[in-house]
Amino acid sequence: MTAAGLWITLEGGDGSGKTTQSALLTEWLTERGRTVVRTREPGGTEVGVLIRDIVLHHRGEVAPRAEALLYAADRAQHVATLVRPALERGDIVLQDRYLDSSVAYQGAGRVLDADEVRGLSMWATEDALPDLTILLDLDPALARARLDAADKPFDRLEAEAASFHERVREAFLGLAAAEPGRFVVVDASRAPEDIAAVIRDRVAALL
Ligand code: TYD
């Protein structure tokens, strides 16, 4: 997005280590005197927190199109009230998940049309795209082992079958291959510090 700041999104399957990398990158950027707005989808705003509760914790059925619309509504509110203003101030927005998650999870995962899902998010955000998207790529079986070790209850998406998470992974890789200028793909099975170094190199080039 053309604005004074820099917008970086982190993508990847559940358990791929996005939170760890977001913390490490925030620390590094802050040490360099940059103002970092660390945020996430779903749930980066007050409205988003309410939507997050529905999409992750509702116990009954949520129809795939309703799910896609809920994520898109969260995104619309987030971009309009938090992301865009921060970028206009010149801040760095470091964001856990964005529209690529919708294309991967609602498109490939729930088997909705990928172009339609993407189009929905583009409408919701008035075509806002990040400057850089870091894809943490990990075999879902390894990710599942990490999530099991963390011993937290699974949310609605995490609880999906292995085949769902395989489709999500392939979709992310396809998105990265289609937009090599925006994406950097990092092997998330490596040590966290090694991953952080790869990410820092790529981000440094944009500062
Ligand atoms: P996340 O916040 O990464 O989960 P956690 O807090 O457990 O690390 O993401 C929540 C879930 O929402 C995750 O399983 C992926 C899913 N998701 C979608 O299905 N579509 C989307 O557009 C987004 C942003 C997330």
Side-chain angles (χ1 to χ4, degrees), residues 14 41 52 56 71 75 97 101-102 105-106 157-158:
D14 296 279
E41 289 185 8
R52 183 180 172 93
L56 298 190
Y71 281 111
R75 186 158 298 134
R97 298 193 182 279
S101 275
S102 280
Y105 282 82
Q106 281 64 57
L157 283 294
E158 285 167 349

Side-chain angles (χ1 to χ4, degrees), residues 123-197:
W123 178 81
T125 63
E126 299 180 83
D127 300 330
L129 280 177
D131 300 294
L132 176 67
T133 298
I134 299 156
L135 173 58
L136 295 174
D137 176 55
L138 188 64
D139 177 347
L142 279 177
R144 174 52 55 122
R146 285 186 186 177
L147 291 173
D148 284 341
D151 205 23
K152 282 198 302 189
F154 287 163
D155 64 43
R156 278 182 61 252
L157 283 294
E158 285 167 349
E160 281 295 332
S163 57
F164 176 96
H165 292 286
E166 279 295 345
R167 290 199 299 279
V168 168
R169 181 193 195 188
E170 290 310 316
F172 273 131
L173 289 171
L175 288 168
E179 278 185 84
R182 173 162 71 90
F183 274 89
V184 56
V185 182
V186 189
D187 173 1
S189 68
R190 297 172 62 186
E193 250 318 312
D194 295 349
I195 298 170

Side-chain angles (χ1 to χ4, degrees), residues 6 8 25 28-29 132 199-207:
L6 181 67
I8 303 169
L25 185 58
W28 185 77
L29 287 165
L132 176 67
I199 293 174
R200 283 198 295 266
D201 273 358
R202 185 64 184 254
V203 172
L206 295 174
L207 294 178

Side-chain angles (χ1 to χ4, degrees), residues 1-25:
M1 190 157 82
T2 328
L6 181 67
W7 188 12
I8 303 169
T9 57
L10 283 153
E11 296 282 6
D14 296 279
S16 58
K18 294 184 304 305
T19 309
T20 304
Q21 291 307 322
S22 164
L24 291 171
L25 185 58

